[in-house]
C-alpha cells in the first residue's frame, strides 16, 4: 500500500488488489487499509473510512484523519459529489463505444456477498462507461460510477442487461479463480478538501 497524499485532515492511499479496505470478522481479516494507515498515523480517528473499494479492486482510496473531516467527506459521498473513474479489462469484446447502465440489485442473503438483479426491491446503480480499446479478445473500459453500490461495476459489466461481459479475474461474476488479479482499478478520484473546499484530484497508474 502506498501513501499518495496526506495532511492534517485526510490520507489518500493506493490500495493493492487483494487487501481489504476495512477490518473483517475474525483475526485473519484484520490486515486492511485502515489498520495499515492507523499504524502510520496513530492519531487517526477510529472509523476513518468514508468509502470502500472491493477487496480485489485496486486504486485510489481516501480516509479521514479527524471526525469533522469524516463527517464532511461522508456527506460528499452521500451527495455523489466526488468524481470517480475506474479502468477495467473485460473478458470479451464489447461492440458499443459508450453508454449508461442503470440496474437495480441487492444482496442475495443465501449467497453472500453475491448481489442479484431485483427490479422490485433492488437499489439502482448508475454507471457511465466508454470503450478505450480492444485488446486481443478483451475490451479495455473506463467506468464512471454515479452511485456507489456494492459490486456495482462488477455487476454492470457481467449482467446480461449491462455489458454482458465480466471483468477479467472476477471470481464472483466472471471466470476468475482464487488468486487471480481482478482487472478493476480506481484510477482517479476528485473530492473537495473537507477544510478548504478546494477541488483535489488524485490519480493512480493503471497496473494492467
Amino acid at each position: 500500500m502506498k501513501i499518495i497524499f496526506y495532511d492534517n485532515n485526510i490520507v489518500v492511499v493506493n490500495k493493492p488488489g487483494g487487501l481489504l479496505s476495512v477490518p473483517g470478522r475474525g483475526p485473519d481479516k484484520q490486515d486492511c487499509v485502515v489498520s495499515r494507515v492507523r499504524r502510520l498515523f496513530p492519531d487517526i480517528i477510529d472509523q476513518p473510512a468514508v468509502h470502500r473499494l472491493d477487496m480485489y479492486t485496486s486504486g485510489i482510496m481516501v480516509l479521514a484523519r479527524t471526525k469533522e473531516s469524516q463527517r464532511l467527506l461522508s456527506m460528499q459521498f452521500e451527495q455523489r459529489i466526488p468524481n470517480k473513474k475506474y479502468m477495467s479489462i473485460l473478458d470479451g469484446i464489447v461492440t458499443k463505444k459508450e453508454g449508461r447502465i442503470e440496474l437495480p440489485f441487492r444482496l442475495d442473503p443465501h449467497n453472500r456477498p453475491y448481489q442479484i438483479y431485483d427490479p422490485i426491491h433492488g437499489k439502482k446503480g448508475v454507471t457511465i462507461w466508454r470503450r478505450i480499446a480492444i485488446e486481443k479478445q478483451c475490451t479495455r473500459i473506463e467506468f464512471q460510477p454515479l452511485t456507489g453500490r456494492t459490486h456495482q461495476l462488477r455487476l454492470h459489466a457481467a449482467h446480461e442487461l449491462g455489458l454482458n461481459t465480466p471483468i477479467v479475474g472476477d471470481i464472483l461474476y466472471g471466470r476468475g479463480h482464487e488468486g487471480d488479479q481482478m482487472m478493476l482499478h480506481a484510477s482517479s478520484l476528485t473530492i473537495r478538501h473537507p477544510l478548504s473546499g478546494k477541488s483535489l484530484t488524485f490519480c493512480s497508474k493503471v497496473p494492467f
Side-chain angles (χ1 to χ4, degrees), residues 56 91 154 167-183:
Y56 296 106
D91 192 7
R154 299 166 70 178
I167 296 170
V168 171
D170 190 337
I171 64 175
L172 272 183
Y173 307 99
R175 297 187 291 185
H177 300 91
E178 192 66 45
D180 289 352
Q181 178 186 13
M182 189 172 72
M183 301 298 186

Side-chain angles (χ1 to χ4, degrees), residues 14-17 53-54 56-60 86 182 184-186 207-208:
N14 190 11
K15 185 184 93 65
L53 297 179
D54 282 351
Y56 296 106
T57 302
S58 56
I60 301 289
Y86 291 71
M182 189 172 72
L184 180 62
H185 183 74
F208 46 79

Side-chain angles (χ1 to χ4, degrees), residues 112-130:
R112 295 173 181 268
Y114 196 84
Q115 307 283 318
I116 56 175
Y117 173 73
D118 187 338
I120 305 300
H121 302 291
K123 292 184 178 180
K124 184 169 67 175
V126 183
T127 302
I128 295 171
W129 66 274
R130 66 186 179 100

Side-chain angles (χ1 to χ4, degrees), residues 45-58:
I45 58 174
D46 289 340
Q47 305 293 336
V50 295
H51 70 126
R52 301 181 187 185
L53 297 179
D54 282 351
M55 178 177 177
Y56 296 106
T57 302
S58 56

Side-chain angles (χ1 to χ4, degrees), residues 125-149:
V126 183
T127 302
I128 295 171
W129 66 274
R130 66 186 179 100
R131 190 180 72 190
I132 303 299
I134 303 293
E135 301 176 1
K136 297 181 180 180
Q137 294 301 308
C138 297
T139 308
R140 185 175 290 267
I141 297 283
E142 182 187 78
F143 288 116
Q144 184 177 355
L146 303 185
T147 54
R149 306 298 181 204

Side-chain angles (χ1 to χ4, degrees), residues 74-200:
S74 294
M75 285 176 57
Q76 288 186 43
F77 280 92
E78 288 170 5
Q79 296 168 8
R80 303 175 186 174
I81 292 172
N83 183 284
K84 300 172 284 186
K85 292 183 180 179
Y86 291 71
M87 193 65 70
S88 184
I89 296 180
L90 305 193
D91 192 7
I93 304 298
V94 176
T95 55
K96 289 179 63 179
K97 291 184 178 180
E98 60 185 15
R100 179 187 176 101
I101 300 168
E102 297 189 22
L103 288 178
F105 47 90
R106 61 168 175 81
L107 174 70
D108 180 355
H110 304 294
N111 188 22
R112 295 173 181 268
Y114 196 84
Q115 307 283 318
I116 56 175
Y117 173 73
D118 187 338
I120 305 300
H121 302 291
K123 292 184 178 180
K124 184 169 67 175
V126 183
T127 302
I128 295 171
W129 66 274
R130 66 186 179 100
R131 190 180 72 190
I132 303 299
I134 303 293
E135 301 176 1
K136 297 181 180 180
Q137 294 301 308
C138 297
T139 308
R140 185 175 290 267
I141 297 283
E142 182 187 78
F143 288 116
Q144 184 177 355
L146 303 185
T147 54
R149 306 298 181 204
T150 301
H151 296 176
Q152 176 173 318
L153 300 181
R154 299 166 70 178
L155 273 159
H156 283 183
H159 199 276
E160 60 183 7
L161 296 178
L163 296 178
N164 199 28
T165 313
I167 296 170
V168 171
D170 190 337
I171 64 175
L172 272 183
Y173 307 99
R175 297 187 291 185
H177 300 91
E178 192 66 45
D180 289 352
Q181 178 186 13
M182 189 172 72
M183 301 298 186
L184 180 62
H185 183 74
S187 56
S188 174
L189 175 66
T190 300
I191 61 169
R192 294 176 186 166
H193 189 278
L195 194 67
S196 69
K198 181 181 178 181
S199 179
L200 300 174

